[in-house]
Each structure stands twice: as C-alpha cells, then as structure tokens.
Amino acid sequence: MIIGITGTLGAGKGTVVEYLKTKGFKHYSARDVWNEEIARRGLPSNRDNMLLVANDLRAKYGPGYFSQKALDRIEEQGGGDAVIESVRSIGEAEYLKSHGAMLWAVDADIKKRYARIDKRMSETDKVSFEEFVEDEQNEFINQDKNKPNLKVLIGMADVVLTNNGTQEALFAHVEKTLQNNGLDGVS
C-alpha cells in the first residue's frame, strides 16, 4: 500500500509517518526532493524557498512532479508499503490517486499546531503566530493545480486524522485505519 500524507502545518504529518515506519512502511519526503534542488541552486533551506522551488518545479514539469518522483523512487527500491510526505498540491494528490495510492490528511486546532511547531523549532518553523497563520492561508486556498491547496486536499483525502489529543490517540486512529484497509499484519 502507498499512502500520501497531506495536512495542515504542524498537524502531525511527521508523527504519522514515524508511526507508519514502525509498521514497515518506507518513507519518501517532499522536503528531501525540494532540499536537493534548493542546495543545487545555492539557496538557504527555509519554508519560503521550499515553496518557491516546489512551485517552480511543478510549473516546469507538471503538477504531479513530486508524486511522480516519489513513485519512481519507490519502484526503483523494489516497491512495497510506502508513505509519501508531504502532498501539497491538487496535481500531486491526483497523480498519486490515479496510481492507486491512498491520500491521508492530518489536521488539528490551529493553536495546538502552532504550539507544536514553536516547540520543535526546526529551521523552517521559526515564525511568529501571525506568520504561521499567513503561511497557512497562502497554502490553504489556491486555484492553480501546481500550488498548495490544503482545503481541497483535505476534502480529497480517503482518511482524515484529527490530531487534537495525545500521540497515543493518534496512533490508535492510524492503527484502526490500517486494520480497516487490511493491513493489520504490517511490519
């Protein structure tokens, strides 16, 4: 099974990915693809440059560019269960779904999400609450299939995981979803 992960900033996409990895899923990251290109261009790695590079590559190679790269890498490495993090554009989601992948969305209350990113303080997360809200609004509604549109992606998802509680509650939801899709023996 191949699962594409989408969702709002700080909702817990990476936490879901880490759990799926314990179940034997291979992990493929958009961040890795974008950072390769950012480094090639000699730019600093930050959220603005990731968005700039991602939008540029999608415009140049098509709206499903990242999904195509991820599926190619999965095939090159022998297939199997895989999780693709983080699907951001409609074109990426459509490409994955047209190739038999599931789309899972992760969401949570905005204040909880900001508290999470503030706590982890990765280089791309060093923003004020106001900047966080603005970044999300820029990625939430967009008519261009090459650019992020989280609202539509969450609506396209086969599964929506709401992560307002504990990590254990999120893992239980993931486990139930896997079982409902015949993957209770994964690992």
Side-chain angles (χ1 to χ4, degrees):
M1 165 183 271
I2 297 174
I3 300 169
I5 299 286
T6 191
T8 51
L9 304 172
K13 296 179 296 292
T15 302
V16 170
V17 166
E18 289 305 312
Y19 184 78
L20 290 172
K21 286 169 51 178
T22 71
K23 302 306 251 173
F25 281 75
K26 295 176 192 164
H27 176 225
Y28 300 87
S29 170
R31 186 178 293 246
D32 293 343
V33 172
W34 307 142
N35 275 331
E36 288 169 13
E37 182 64 16
I38 287 169
R40 191 187 72 69
R41 294 181 185 190
L43 300 170
S45 180
N46 58 43
R47 185 173 300 283
D48 289 341
N49 284 335
M50 278 192 199
L51 192 57
L52 174 87
V53 166
N55 289 343
D56 183 50
L57 290 173
R58 288 186 201 110
K60 187 173 182 178
Y61 297 110
Y65 174 76
F66 163 65
S67 295
Q68 182 178 357
K69 292 279 281 184
L71 290 178
D72 288 348
R73 287 181 182 182
I74 291 167
E75 187 176 318
E76 289 166 6
Q77 295 178 8
D81 293 328
V83 58
I84 300 169
E85 177 195 21
S86 164
V87 178
R88 306 304 280 175
S89 75
I90 296 167
E92 290 168 356
E94 288 175 341
Y95 189 90
L96 284 175
K97 289 178 78 108
S98 74
H99 287 79
M102 291 186 74
L103 183 65
W104 289 14
V106 186
D107 196 13
D109 174 77
I110 194 165
K111 289 183 180 175
K112 287 181 188 269
R113 293 187 288 110
Y114 181 74
R116 289 177 187 146
I117 70 135
D118 190 48
K119 184 177 178 182
R120 72 182 178 207
M121 286 304 289
S122 74
E123 193 60 37
T124 57
D125 291 329
K126 294 180 182 176
V127 296
S128 68
F129 181 73
E130 293 74 20
E131 291 169 312
F132 178 77
V133 170
E134 184 179 332
D135 285 346
E136 182 163 279
Q137 288 172 345
N138 290 335
E139 294 186 28
F140 209 76
I141 299 176
N142 200 318
Q143 299 306 311
D144 185 338
K145 288 175 86 168
N146 293 316
K147 296 183 179 174
N149 186 326
L150 297 177
K151 182 176 182 175
V152 169
L153 290 174
I154 292 169
M156 291 175 68
D158 300 294
V159 173
V160 177
L161 303 166
T162 302
N163 184 21
N164 286 324
T166 65
Q167 197 172 66
E168 292 75 22
L170 177 63
F171 293 162
H173 194 178
V174 170
E175 193 62 40
K176 183 175 181 179
T177 302
L178 290 172
Q179 290 172 3
N180 289 342
N181 287 282
L183 292 175
D184 52 302
V186 173
S187 211

